[in-house]
Amino acid sequence: MIKLKIAIVTGASSGMGKEFVLQMAEKYSKLDEIWVISRRKEKLTELALDVTAPLRCFAFDISNNASLSDFANELESQSPDVKLLINCAGYGKYGEFATGNYEDEIGMIDVNCKGLTAITHMVLPYMSKKSRIINVASAAAFSPQPDFAVYAATKAYVLSFSRALNRELLERGISVTAVCPGPVKTAFFETAYNDEKIPLLKRLTMADAKKVVQKAIKDAALSDELSVYGVKMKIFRIAAKLLPHRFILSLMKKKA
């Protein structure tokens, strides 16, 4: 029996997730299908009209246990050969933790950490040699961030998890790349900041989603464990390694 060669993308309906789907549809002609996951069914339907590659759409929340179980059953039923897994689903909320919305704070952990981990665990048995996993983290993973406390912590988890998993999967010939961009021009910031003004530093370092995804795909193809777009974020990564976090935190302004 010939297995379907597929890619799986979470958070596929908008932002970087959508951009990953668009670029993979162009670059990976040998894929039989791209499985796209998002909470918003109507957005997935629109996405299917924008690409020539066959999409299989799954409208569910990756933090929901029942939905995850259904997806695991679909994987078992189809038994595909997953060549690419791109964990892009995630969100952040700006503001002080103590006064933040409880559901939002816990939800970030559920989606950014639990959902990513669950999807990865259930997909791995269907991945073969030279398959790739791309986990979208953030430059926020390099240092704690006041007013983004939970979000930065979840992305630090994604980075640590990705690096460890990359080492574990070495003998299987499967690579894991953590993508750690700075601010990217997507709807993410509309969700994160609501009516708050986006801080000046973030506005000045905004990157283009298309370019970030292009670099991520290239770095993953080279089996790089880390993909950091832009000189400024590369400098920040080095600074976060060399300087005490206490000093970095003292430089961060809560308001801009």
Side-chain angles (χ1 to χ4, degrees):
M1 179 180 176
I2 299 177
K3 293 187 175 184
L4 286 175
K5 291 186 182 298
I6 71 167
I8 298 175
V9 185
T10 71
S13 65
S14 63
M16 286 181 60
K18 180 178 180 180
E19 187 60 41
F20 269 112
V21 175
L22 294 174
Q23 292 195 29
M24 283 195 303
E26 293 181 359
K27 298 176 184 292
Y28 293 91
S29 59
K30 293 183 179 180
L31 289 174
D32 296 305
E33 289 181 347
I34 301 176
W35 290 17
V36 291
I37 302 171
S38 171
R39 292 180 297 109
R40 296 177 290 183
K41 183 177 181 179
E42 71 282 359
K43 291 294 185 179
L44 293 180
T45 302
E46 293 174 9
L47 178 60
L49 299 176
D50 293 335
V51 298
T52 55
L55 300 189
R56 186 174 300 203
C57 301
F58 297 87
F60 69 89
D61 185 337
I62 65 168
S63 67
N64 182 277
N65 289 332
S67 297
L68 287 169
S69 180
D70 290 341
F71 187 67
N73 290 337
E74 184 68 15
L75 282 167
E76 184 177 5
S77 172
Q78 298 295 322
S79 190
D81 181 9
V82 183
K83 302 310 297 179
L84 281 162
L85 168 61
I86 301 177
N87 285 305
C88 204
Y91 74 94
K93 282 290 184 178
Y94 173 80
E96 292 186 1
F97 173 75
T99 57
N101 178 274
Y102 175 85
E103 285 76 17
D104 287 339
E105 303 292 351
I106 301 304
M108 279 186 276
I109 299 171
D110 285 345
V111 175
N112 300 0
C113 299
K114 171 192 166 185
L116 178 145
T117 306
I119 290 288
T120 303
H121 191 273
M122 65 179 59
V123 170
L124 265 173
Y126 304 95
M127 303 190 82
S128 56
K129 189 174 182 179
K130 296 186 178 179
S131 292
R132 305 281 185 260
I133 297 174
I134 298 176
N135 289 332
V136 176
S138 168
F142 301 146
S143 170
Q145 293 203 6
D147 289 342
F148 247 166
V150 174
Y151 176 76
T154 64
K155 293 305 182 178
Y157 168 86
V158 173
L159 176 57
S160 177
F161 172 66
S162 299
R163 281 176 158 163
L165 189 61
N166 184 52
R167 177 60 57 177
E168 288 184 11
L169 297 175
L170 191 62
E171 291 185 2
R172 286 182 56 183
I174 299 172
S175 67
V176 184
T177 300
V179 183
C180 296
V184 181
K185 294 178 183 177
T186 67
F188 169 88
F189 285 96
E190 296 176 10
T191 300
Y193 285 87
N194 291 326
D195 295 328
E196 294 276 351
K197 185 178 180 181
I198 299 173
L200 177 61
L201 180 60
K202 293 186 184 294
R203 296 200 302 271
L204 292 176
T205 56
M206 283 278 182
D208 179 70
K210 184 175 182 179
K211 293 179 180 179
V212 174
V213 170
Q214 283 176 339
K215 177 169 175 53
I217 292 175
K218 179 180 178 181
D219 290 340
L222 295 172
S223 298
D224 291 344
E225 74 165 14
L226 194 62
S227 178
V228 181
Y229 176 83
V231 175
K232 293 176 182 177
M233 290 305 109
K234 290 177 180 178
I235 292 174
F236 175 64
R237 179 193 171 218
I238 294 172
K241 290 176 67 175
L242 298 178
L243 300 175
H245 281 177
R246 180 179 295 181
F247 175 73
I248 295 174
L249 291 171
S250 71
L251 298 178
M252 292 183 178
K253 293 181 180 181
K254 289 191 175 185
K255 304 293 181 184

